Amino acid sequence: MNGTDNALFRLGDALTARLPRAQWAVDQVATDATWLPRLAPHLPVPVPVPVAVGRPGGDYPWPWTVVPWLEGRNPETGQDLVGLAVDLAGFVRAMMAIDPMGGPVKEGIQRGVPLVQRDELTRRSIAALGDRIDGRAVTAAWDEAMAADEWPGPPVWLHGDLLEGNLLVDRGRLTGVIDFGGLGRGDPAVEVRPGWSLFDARARAAYREALGFDEATWVRGWAWMLSGSLYWLADLWDSISEDDREGTIRYIDYIVRHRHD
């Protein structure tokens, strides 16, 4: 099996080998081996704590890991995901409550930095997209986000990439969370992501209530989704399919129109 960052090879019934597919994914080997054993005891569901770290060899140039195979299926849109939303909020809150332990802090324009550090990039993306999007409405939404208060506390632990492909469920409840390539400490607003990428309005409302985030953090959350989509669309416009362009434009419009729901 291949993901964006890693190739996965099942080892019997209980283990999986994860081999980075590109240089940018190599650092996760050390991050997972260092931090997941320390975080896992504090989390409500299993995570893929490495049981071994492999060395480069033969024609393969990078370190790699062996992790437990975690049972479950990825959730799908269209299902009743309210229970999952509540469970996932509990996972996020548990991550946030773990002692910092000197863990890595997000920097640059990485997910989890103060949102203002994405301002120039986001406005540049809006300008580059021109009349392909509703620039006036998108700019108004972004201006609103820029007026929101920043995270007032110290950086907290984040998964950073709570896509449906990184969530495992059984009968609608969370059974595991995988792929900690975005792991680090920062503003937890980025964990709002599944509210806009996976959940319908009912599950999103349950997720928001269970997270207990204040209004400013929720605003920064949808703004992170907006910023990432705008940058991706502007940067890759000429290399992605028409379906991907249209789908991302619809997603941007959905966030802008429903951000106050």
Side-chain angles (χ1 to χ4, degrees):
M1 294 179 287
N2 285 334
T4 302
D5 294 340
N6 295 277
L8 308 179
F9 300 91
R10 189 81 180 264
L11 304 177
D13 293 332
L15 299 172
T16 304
R18 300 179 80 247
L19 280 71
R21 299 180 63 205
Q23 181 67 54
W24 69 72
V26 173
D27 288 348
Q28 187 184 347
V29 172
T31 300
D32 283 2
T34 300
W35 295 108
L36 290 187
R38 303 174 73 178
L39 299 177
H42 305 284
L43 298 174
V45 295
V47 298
V49 177
V51 299
V53 177
R55 295 179 299 207
D59 293 330
Y60 187 75
W62 302 310
W64 48 283
T65 56
V66 177
V67 302
W69 174 265
L70 301 182
E71 296 292 342
R73 303 171 62 89
N74 298 135
E76 298 177 3
T77 56
Q79 299 174 328
D80 182 353
L81 300 179
V82 170
L84 172 61
V86 173
D87 292 345
L88 186 57
F91 174 85
V92 171
R93 299 296 302 186
M95 286 278 291
M96 292 173 61
I98 298 174
D99 188 274
M101 297 184 288
V105 176
K106 298 291 186 171
E107 57 186 9
I109 59 171
Q110 295 176 328
R111 289 190 294 269
V113 300
L115 188 64
V116 68
Q117 293 178 211
R118 299 276 301 194
D119 188 38
E120 180 182 354
L121 174 67
T122 302
R123 294 187 190 279
R124 188 165 68 241
S125 298
I126 295 171
L129 289 167
D131 60 7
R132 297 163 178 166
I133 61 172
D134 185 343
R136 179 176 296 181
V138 171
T139 299
W142 185 251
D143 287 342
E144 177 185 331
M146 284 293 93
D149 291 340
E150 294 186 357
W151 176 245
V156 297
W157 281 106
L158 315 169
H159 178 280
D161 196 22
L162 292 176
L163 293 170
E164 53 267 35
N166 294 334
L167 307 178
L168 300 175
V169 300
D170 180 37
R171 288 172 288 185
R173 306 310 296 252
L174 186 69
T175 61
V177 178
I178 61 175
D179 197 347
F180 282 73
L183 182 68
R185 293 190 298 127
D187 177 358
V190 296
E191 307 290 48
V192 166
R193 181 173 192 162
W196 299 98
S197 64
L198 174 62
F199 297 146
D200 61 15
R202 181 166 163 263
R204 183 165 63 247
Y207 188 52
R208 181 176 185 177
E209 181 178 0
L211 282 172
F213 285 170
D214 62 16
E215 178 66 21
T217 302
W218 188 258
V219 168
R220 295 193 310 276
W222 59 249
W224 266 102
M225 304 310 101
L226 191 62
S227 176
S229 296
L230 289 164
Y231 174 61
W232 185 84
L233 189 62
D235 189 53
L236 298 179
W237 183 272
D238 292 328
S239 59
I240 59 177
S241 69
E242 184 174 349
D243 285 346
D244 283 341
R245 293 175 194 152
E246 293 178 353
T248 306
I249 290 170
R250 286 195 299 271
Y251 181 60
I252 290 168
D253 182 63
Y254 181 82
I255 293 172
V256 170
R257 287 189 295 110
H258 293 279
R259 68 187 191 275
H260 296 142
D261 291 359

